[in-house]
Amino acid sequence: MNMKSQKFRKSVDLFGAICGGLLISLPAIPQVLAQESIPKINPCPRIFYEEPHNNQVVVPQGCPPNALTERLAAQGVLPVPATSSQEQTRLGTGGGEAPEPSVRLPRPNPGAQTQQPLPGAVSTDQQPQLEPRQTPSATIALNNGRVNVRLVNETAANVTFQVIGDTAPRSLQGKSDVILQNLKAPVTVTFEREDGGQLIVTPQGSSEPGSLEVTFKEATNATQGRSAMRIERNGSVLLN
């Protein structure tokens, strides 16, 4: 009876040891299966080197450069890619295709043409409208920026003249003259015949610095008439 009990107890202990070992090894089995079921992702899939991605997508670092990556690296936009090994150049082998990266350049539009402005060019919308410069009727040498003007009235009519900002209107009788002294340029002098006729105005410089002689004569038509004279800082004499 004792022998049968000892054999039965040994059988129970052996069965327990076997079951315990199985229970210990069971958690490790799913981990091994899970590791073997995870596919290896190729970081450099073949799609990076096929059109249109070859010229539109920048490859990740460590992958052989495609056409776009090489072009941007040559332009200094991207760092120069390292030389790839022969194993890396075997595109698409050793795993599945990786998803397309989010870096993407816009497609060129062949119908759109961009014109770059020439250096120093100004847009026509911004170009100021310049008035043509008037040709001086005479040029004199000023004396410290000042000038003496002699008005000579060779007509039979009286002429009213005025130095704008300096004198009130004055009258110069026919066949007479007057000297306006120490006028500071720029200065404007106006004149008109009191009988309403037109004046031919002829300015002429003198050999003496700072001197100008202006002669009034009768005009036969309105196109010859002048009614104002301006002396600029550079000695230019303009008639209007």
Side-chain angles (χ1 to χ4, degrees), residues 6 12 21-22 31 35 39 44 108 126 158 204 232 234 239:
Q6 291 179 359
V12 172
L22 291 175
Q31 296 181 2
Q35 293 178 357
C44 308
Q126 300 177 354
N158 294 342
Q204 184 175 359
E232 301 288 357
N234 60 0
L239 297 177

Side-chain angles (χ1 to χ4, degrees), residues 41-178:
I41 298 178
N42 182 15
C44 308
R46 184 181 294 105
I47 192 173
F48 288 163
Y49 308 90
E50 297 176 352
E51 298 299 339
H53 303 83
N54 188 39
N55 285 280
Q56 294 184 3
V57 176
V58 178
V59 300
Q61 292 185 0
C63 292
N66 59 5
L68 177 61
T69 307
E70 290 181 349
R71 186 164 62 251
L72 295 180
Q75 296 174 0
V77 178
L78 296 176
V80 179
T83 305
S84 61
S85 63
Q86 294 182 355
E87 182 67 22
Q88 289 177 321
T89 56
R90 296 173 57 189
L91 307 176
T93 61
E97 298 288 346
E100 295 184 13
S102 58
V103 181
R104 185 179 294 272
L105 297 180
R107 291 177 176 270
N109 186 1
Q113 296 182 356
T114 304
Q115 295 182 354
Q116 298 294 335
L118 296 177
V122 180
S123 173
T124 55
D125 298 336
Q126 300 177 354
Q127 290 181 350
Q129 300 295 328
L130 300 178
E131 297 181 358
R133 295 181 60 88
Q134 181 179 352
T135 302
S137 299
T139 302
I140 62 172
L142 300 179
N143 186 12
N144 294 327
R146 297 183 179 273
V147 60
N148 296 329
V149 179
R150 181 189 180 196
L151 301 179
V152 180
N153 184 8
E154 294 186 356
T155 71
N158 294 342
V159 174
T160 299
F161 68 91
Q162 180 182 6
V163 180
I164 301 300
D166 193 357
T167 66
R170 299 178 182 179
S171 180
L172 177 62
Q173 295 182 352
K175 306 300 182 180
S176 65
D177 61 85
V178 66

Side-chain angles (χ1 to χ4, degrees), residues 177-238:
D177 61 85
V178 66
I179 297 178
L180 308 176
Q181 295 182 341
N182 206 29
L183 301 180
K184 184 178 180 180
V187 61
T188 299
V189 182
T190 61
F191 28 78
E192 62 177 347
R193 284 173 54 174
E194 295 181 359
D195 61 0
Q198 300 293 323
L199 290 174
I200 296 177
V201 182
T202 305
Q204 184 175 359
S206 173
S207 58
E208 182 180 356
S211 296
L212 177 67
E213 182 174 296
V214 181
T215 303
F216 300 142
K217 295 182 179 181
E218 296 181 358
T220 57
N221 56 66
T223 58
Q224 295 176 319
R226 296 292 182 268
S227 60
M229 175 184 67
R230 180 174 177 83
I231 303 174
E232 301 288 357
R233 287 190 179 91
N234 60 0
S236 298
V237 180
L238 308 176

